[in-house]
Amino acid sequence: MKVVIIGASFAGVSAAFAIRKKHPTAEIHLIDKQQTIGYLPGGINLYFDKTIGPIDTAQFVSEQQLADKNISLLLNAKVIGMDSKQHVIKYEKQKGEFLLSFDKLILATGSSQWSQKITGSDSEKVLKYKFLPGVKEAIKRIEDSEKVALIGGGQIGGEAAETLLKMNKEVHLFERMDYLLFKYFDEEMIRPVQEEMSARGVIFHFDETVEKITDMDEGLLIETKQSNLLCDSAIFAMNVRPNLQYLDEHIRRHTDQTVLVDQYLQTSQKDIFAIGDCIQVPYSLSKESFYIPLVNNAVRTGLVVAQNLVEPTTPFAGSIRTIGTRLVDHYIASTGLTEAEGLFYDQPISVAHVQQQSSLFSRGEKIHGKIIFEKESHKLLGAQLVSKADILEKINTLALGIQTGQTLEEFYQKDFLYHPYYSNVIDITNQLGFEGLWSEAYED
Ligand code: FAD
């Protein structure tokens, strides 16, 4: 079996390793237009805070690891076309064009940062650093800039703001909504983080949608309906769009241009699959599917596609959008539905808040937690955690509870470890389940 995977990043690489395990004798080819593989998109922050040395070392996999598994890697090769009926793709390398046939094809070409809506956002002073060439350019420009605008107040924008603050830059953050990270947090949960960012110098421009960027001799002019700002450079910290210019007309797509796949990740063409940022993923809490470009979805779809290459056996479980990061000394994590999104959920929801020490002795910092659940059935729907203690891993427990359809009653008495130094007498995740139940009692 000859398997060709286009795109050697999180999705493509995880698929290649999983296919090698399941099909030890398969011929596996990974193709990518980059010169190197495995760049970590958040690497620029690791570089500026000196967690890593040279930016090229922000890598999650090496060429050697692929070679060790007998996976062939073709770099500097851009796929420019395909014939899905004839089972062949066309790629460009050093100005020559070549054909490659396949028995099974996996589309893992991910996404890039671009916007049709913001005029001028393709200027080279508007920095996009998902891939290594972009990040190298961004490093130079950021170092030379005094005043930087961030377009987007999601995870990328938040993390960039912190990095820029540490570099003593003047930071302006534009966000069309009225608070940070609105996809993942309710306003009251993220407010302390936002206040700390303001106190450290971030100038927020909430409720402002960037419409136009003009590259001028003096710098970049950022225009919204409410204001104009002249700055030295801007960071494009917004949504990404799939890279699929090479598809032929037989591969069906959604209106947002992502590839349409069935639950086994197969496209509308036999033997052709799509994974990672090329596809929408089913939202585990409703019957809809969404575009949720996250590494965890890319890796998991890579693992699942390996199961389904020969026979459709394993449906993809979907996503509840679990994230976590650290901003201005606060660890913040979220999974599942927010209270604000509850408006669109088809059942009434309830919420409960908890405040708890992270542990009695080991620098016991306060943890703020919130749980969102179905009012009637008590099924868990979402959770958010904010603390100066590192609680990031705890969100995975909550995510598993949601993914496996647990109720408050089941969740509050799940097993947990207790240690007098490292933990509290009741884990915050159990406490959230318990508070959820009691919040209902108070209401009645
Ligand atoms: P991609 O990583 O986009 O990789 C696609 C690959 O395909 C690339 O290597 C590309 O060169 C190649 N390719 C594209 N077109 C062609 C072609 N025609 N021919 C050959 N090769 C091609 N997610 C998280 O979960 N956590 C984070 O902390 C996080 N941080 C992020 C920070 C930034 C700045 C950005 C922009 C995104 C971040 N994300 C994060 C999102 C995450 O990067 C993506 O979800 C993830 O990279 C998707 O992986 P993928 O393998 O599907 O695609």
Side-chain angles (χ1 to χ4, degrees), residues 98-336:
F98 305 87
L99 296 177
L100 183 66
S101 65
F102 59 83
D103 297 316
K104 307 282 176 187
L105 177 69
I106 299 175
L107 314 174
T109 42
S111 59
S112 299
Q113 296 168 284
W114 54 271
S115 165
Q116 275 174 333
K117 288 192 188 140
I118 307 178
T119 318
S121 60
D122 52 355
S123 156
E124 55 186 24
K125 289 184 194 150
V126 181
L127 311 174
K128 296 145 195 122
Y129 46 69
K130 183 155 184 230
F131 299 108
L132 197 54
V135 85
K136 288 187 169 165
E137 184 59 33
I139 286 173
K140 276 189 270 154
R141 288 210 182 257
I142 290 173
E143 276 168 348
D144 293 343
S145 300
E146 278 176 18
K147 190 167 170 182
V148 184
L150 292 165
I151 308 170
Q155 188 177 340
I156 302 172
E159 289 176 0
E162 166 144 28
T163 296
L164 295 168
L165 282 179
K166 286 186 186 149
M167 297 169 78
N168 295 320
K169 309 288 178 191
E170 183 178 326
V171 187
H172 290 259
L173 190 149
F174 289 88
E175 167 56 54
R176 72 187 159 91
M177 300 299 283
D178 55 0
Y179 66 97
L180 273 185
L181 286 151
F182 74 93
K183 281 190 195 155
Y184 306 104
F185 293 90
D186 291 308
E187 200 269 332
E188 83 282 4
M189 293 300 290
I190 210 68
R191 196 182 304 132
V193 179
Q194 217 167 270
E195 284 171 1
E196 181 63 31
M197 289 177 95
S198 282
R200 293 191 193 188
V202 177
I203 301 153
F204 287 113
H205 301 253
F206 286 123
D207 292 314
E208 286 197 50
T209 302
V210 174
E211 294 185 337
K212 190 172 170 198
I213 302 173
T214 315
D215 196 341
M216 313 202 301
D217 289 344
E218 317 88 276
L220 271 186
L221 184 69
I222 313 280
E223 289 178 56
T224 72
K225 277 207 169 61
Q226 294 81 358
S227 66
N228 289 350
L229 177 83
L230 190 65
C231 56
D232 301 313
S233 59
I235 291 176
F236 189 89
M238 283 177 40
N239 272 350
V240 287
R241 307 261 171 260
N243 296 319
L244 294 162
Q245 297 82 349
Y246 59 92
L247 290 190
D248 72 12
E249 70 280 13
H250 303 298
I251 309 281
R252 288 183 54 206
R253 304 210 214 177
H254 291 278
T255 45
D256 66 357
Q257 296 306 304
T258 50
V259 179
L260 193 94
V261 289
D262 65 13
Q263 56 181 335
Y264 304 104
L265 305 171
Q266 177 154 315
T267 68
S268 49
Q269 285 300 303
K270 194 168 174 296
D271 298 325
I272 304 182
F273 300 81
I275 56 178
D277 278 9
C278 289
I279 60 169
Q280 293 187 358
V281 292
Y283 191 40
S284 313
L285 299 171
S286 71
K287 292 202 170 57
E288 291 157 285
S289 61
F290 290 113
Y291 191 51
I292 312 173
L294 286 175
V295 168
N296 111 49
N297 294 334
V299 170
R300 290 183 303 126
T301 51
L303 299 181
V304 168
V305 81
Q307 299 297 322
N308 296 325
L309 266 195
V310 177
E311 247 188 298
T313 56
T314 313
F316 178 56
S319 171
I320 49 171
R321 219 181 34 191
T322 305
I323 65 128
T325 185
R326 183 169 181 252
L327 293 180
V328 286
D329 299 331
H330 293 72
Y331 292 89
I332 60 173
S334 157
T335 185

Side-chain angles (χ1 to χ4, degrees), residues 359-364 420-421 423:
S359 84
L360 288 178
F361 300 105
S362 63
R363 286 187 58 245
Y421 186 72
S423 68

Side-chain angles (χ1 to χ4, degrees), residues 368-385:
H368 296 254
K370 176 169 184 175
I371 192 149
I372 296 111
F373 52 95
E374 267 182 16
K375 197 173 168 61
E376 281 287 303
S377 70
H378 291 178
K379 201 174 97 172
L380 307 187
L381 296 173
Q384 298 158 38
L385 296 172

